[in-house]
Amino acid sequence: MNKNLGWFNLTSLVLGFAFLYLPILLLVVFSFNESKLVTVWAGFSTKWYVSMWANEGLMDAAWVTVRVGLLSATIATALGTLAALTLDRFHRFPGRTLFSGMVYAPLVMPEVITGLSLLLLFVAINFDRGFWTVTLAHTTLTMCFVAVVVQSRLVTFDKSLEEAAQDLGCPPVKTFFAITLPLILPAVVAGWMLAFTLSLDDLVIASFNTGPGATTLPIKIYSQVRLGVTPEINAICSIMIGIVAIGVIVASIATRRSELERDKAERAAFRVDG
Amino acid sequence: MAKTLGPVKRKFSPWDDPGAKPYIRFENVTKRFGDFTAVDDLSLDIYEREFFSLLGPSGCGKTTLMRMLAGFEEPTSGRILLDGKDLAGVPPYRRPVNMMFQSYALFPHMTVEGNIAFGLKQDGLPKPDIDARVKEMLKLVKLERFAQRKPHQLSGGQRQRVALARSLAKRPKVLLLDEPLGALDKKLREETQFELMDIQYELGLTFLIVTHDQEEAMTMSDRIAVMDLGKLVQVAPPAEIYELPNSRYVADFIGDINLIEGKIASAEGNRLRLACDGIGTSIEAEASGSGAAGETAWFAVRPEKVRISHDPPPEGTVNVLSGEVWDIGYLGDVSVYRVKLPNGAIVKSTLANVTRLVERPIGWDDKVYLTWPRDAGIVLTR
Ligand SMILES: Nc1ncnc2c1ncn2[C@@H]1O[C@H](COP(=O)(O)OP(=O)(O)OP(=O)(O)O)[C@@H](O)[C@H]1O
Ligand SMILES: [Mg+2]
């Protein structure tokens, strides 16, 4: 690669980054603003990070968001992994194409449509909207992402390991937990992280399916912003950015590293000329 | 005194006993992948405590045959019986058969010890027993010092030994070994061969082994099966496969051989004369059953049974050819002479180097005579 970026490349790089991250940077900077006015800088302070904790509405919403995230990510990971296994293992069963299409549809479906159709479903079956509907909706949304991540790992998973386990007397379900799961765990964890962050920052689907007592943080922030941005919102947003950033970074480092290790281990565990 | 073929290793030949019950039985087994036939209407009996080898070129269906016995593939048609019971529908984890995979398939997230103990844990053995058995296996494959390593920290040969130990640990009634010793150096391979034979004999197990190494198959097996294109060409004890191949394919596949094409000129009693235009003379041989006068046949004689010398043999000797030494291969224990006959055909002869110093060594372009007795080779009709 050319080491000298050249002025054109450099400018576009700077502009690109600025375009992407300047608003976020601004938000983080203003969360440390002394002044109550969001746009006027009056010196450094961390008081909004303190007062934020006293804001009950905000804290309730944060707590709901975390609970929805943990629960929906976990369910989505279980279901997504199962879907990935089915798609990977059974190459021919009636309705496979339909099934795989249905698993992946939410990836490209506009969120408004997903949100609306789920809402219609809940209304139709007379399911009271609230915590559970948001959780279920998020599970639906994130499951396909988990399936994609896990399936891409299964493609390179050597089935003869499972055969070897069964040959040694291990029934299929036990084989899954003793052999398959430990080896695909990094992908499963990465899938969970992805699901959690997606649930954390989803506004559209959540607002369609929310109900009393189930206001998530994005909904709360969105509704408060209409009344005016307060530095407290800046503060909690900064924290969310931090959590998401850490989650994404940890997940990508973990996948990267385990991928390298797995490659090494697998190349070693199998004879190349086999 | 009656002559026999080769040395007799042990008195074990249930296949000659019509009353013996086979332990493993393949009954007209066919396996197709799409429209490709990997195993073609194959029938085979293997007996308890037998050391059975499968030999054949790459892709002839050896692994497929084993995978069907282990339960990973269902036969397209035909039956596989184990101890008289049909195996159809019995899942792999319920078959008293263990397999050592051609690709090893070691569990990458477990240590050497963990890999070996895995099968024993499935049986719910008490921990002290498992530990003892694992130790024993590690000792057998000389990996005591590597017990705590992961597979990726081992060399190719060490991994192969872990795979071997893992499949042996459960002492299955039937052990399937798919090229178990390919990655070992010659010395370790020979040692392991004899150890495998000991284990098999002492524990009374039945071994089915795939190998590309003929010498290995000859050394270890009670019987050898030569396969081609999903079919068995010949199934017989090593000496019989070597001395009495039933076809050119087997004769050529196992060891080195001279094949001379001819037409059966006369067949009287057990004497047979083969007119060979290719070498401009006729060959006297012993009749081996089939083959009537006028039929095309091939005379097959192993190079070590062809005598080579500078001096013409006495008058009246049968099967004499003369030619010039074309090429000499010195292998240490033996030398291989490729002799070119006047019409261009090549006949090989090997001579054991029984002395270090030779008075009149046979050299390039020397004129030599080749002879062999009437019973040195056999006549093949296919
Ligand atoms: N799952 C499969 N699908 C399609 N074809 C297969 C499958 N498994 C094996 N075959 C084909 O069946 C044939 C026999 O394969 P097999 O693995 O039994 O050969 P082999 O005798 O063990 O060869 P090698 O000595 O190279 O290991 C090959 O031509 C192979 O391509
Ligand atoms: Mg094979």
Side-chain angles (χ1 to χ4, degrees), chain B residues 23-147:
Chain B
Y23 192 59
I24 304 165
R25 165 163 249 178
F26 291 89
E27 256 180 31
N28 305 95
V29 172
T30 297
K31 177 70 193 177
R32 283 194 201 91
F33 295 107
D35 53 8
F36 178 81
T37 308
V39 172
D40 192 1
D41 192 26
L42 180 145
S43 295
L44 172 65
D45 285 347
I46 296 171
Y47 295 85
E48 198 164 7
R49 295 166 173 261
E50 187 172 0
F51 202 125
F52 193 94
S53 292
L54 278 174
L55 234 59
S58 186
C60 69
K62 306 180 294 288
T63 301
T64 308
L65 197 65
M66 283 196 165
R67 287 175 59 81
M68 284 193 286
L69 186 52
F72 301 123
E73 311 275 5
E74 281 291 322
T76 313
S77 67
R79 294 201 304 166
I80 302 174
L81 304 167
L82 184 77
D83 206 8
K85 283 185 278 293
D86 194 344
L87 282 179
V90 181
Y93 53 92
R94 292 238 179 77
R95 299 190 181 195
V97 171
N98 279 171
M99 176 156 174
M100 178 187 161
F101 285 69
Q102 197 169 5
S103 62
Y104 311 155
L106 299 178
F107 306 130
H109 57 305
M110 295 183 192
T111 59
V112 167
E113 223 172 41
N115 267 280
I116 299 176
F118 187 83
L120 301 168
K121 282 188 190 145
Q122 306 312 315
D123 286 354
L125 248 64
K127 192 155 182 340
D129 291 9
I130 295 182
D131 290 346
R133 185 76 67 83
V134 169
K135 263 222 182 67
E136 187 187 322
M137 286 296 136
L138 285 170
K139 188 154 166 259
L140 175 74
V141 295
K142 304 198 172 50
L143 286 174
E144 293 108 317
R145 288 188 300 130
F146 301 92

Side-chain angles (χ1 to χ4, degrees), chain A residues 65 68-69 72-73 76 118 132-144 195-196 198-207 209 216 218:
Chain A
T65 308
V68 168
S72 70
L118 281 165
W132 285 105
T133 47
V134 178
T135 306
L136 283 177
H138 279 182
T139 307
T140 314
L141 168 74
T142 55
M143 190 195 102
C144 56
F196 183 71
L198 280 171
S199 160
L200 211 61
D201 64 13
D202 167 71
L203 170 65
V204 181
I205 292 178
S207 41
N209 295 285
T216 64

Side-chain angles (χ1 to χ4, degrees), chain A residues 91-171:
Chain A
H91 290 286
R92 257 176 283 166
F93 61 87
R96 182 182 190 276
T97 321
L98 185 69
F99 179 65
S100 85
M102 276 177 7
V103 168
Y104 293 132
L107 274 179
V108 288
M109 190 86 79
E111 283 189 9
V112 184
I113 295 182
T114 312
L116 184 64
S117 50
L118 281 165
L119 173 65
L120 291 176
L121 172 76
F122 292 137
V123 171
I125 60 170
N126 223 344
F127 197 81
D128 278 343
R129 272 167 297 137
F131 176 79
W132 285 105
T133 47
V134 178
T135 306
L136 283 177
H138 279 182
T139 307
T140 314
L141 168 74
T142 55
M143 190 195 102
C144 56
F145 289 89
V146 178
V148 170
V149 173
V150 174
Q151 206 194 353
S152 72
R153 168 65 183 95
L154 285 173
V155 168
T156 60
F157 184 85
D158 197 304
K159 314 285 181 295
S160 67
L161 288 177
E162 290 174 353
E163 288 181 348
Q166 294 199 16
D167 188 61
L168 293 166
C170 193

Side-chain angles (χ1 to χ4, degrees), chain B residues 9-10 34 38 89 119 208 233 251 263 279 286 299 323:
Chain B
K9 270 197 297 193
R10 56 170 169 149
L208 178 57
V233 188
K263 257 201 174 53
I279 56 168
E286 288 193 344
F299 180 72

Side-chain angles (χ1 to χ4, degrees), chain A residues 185-224:
Chain A
L185 196 61
V188 174
V189 170
W192 188 91
M193 292 273 214
L194 194 61
F196 183 71
T197 36
L198 280 171
S199 160
L200 211 61
D201 64 13
D202 167 71
L203 170 65
V204 181
I205 292 178
S207 41
F208 270 107
N209 295 285
T210 189
T215 309
T216 64
L217 204 50
I219 298 176
K220 182 83 186 165
I221 292 167
Y222 185 69
S223 59
Q224 285 210 351

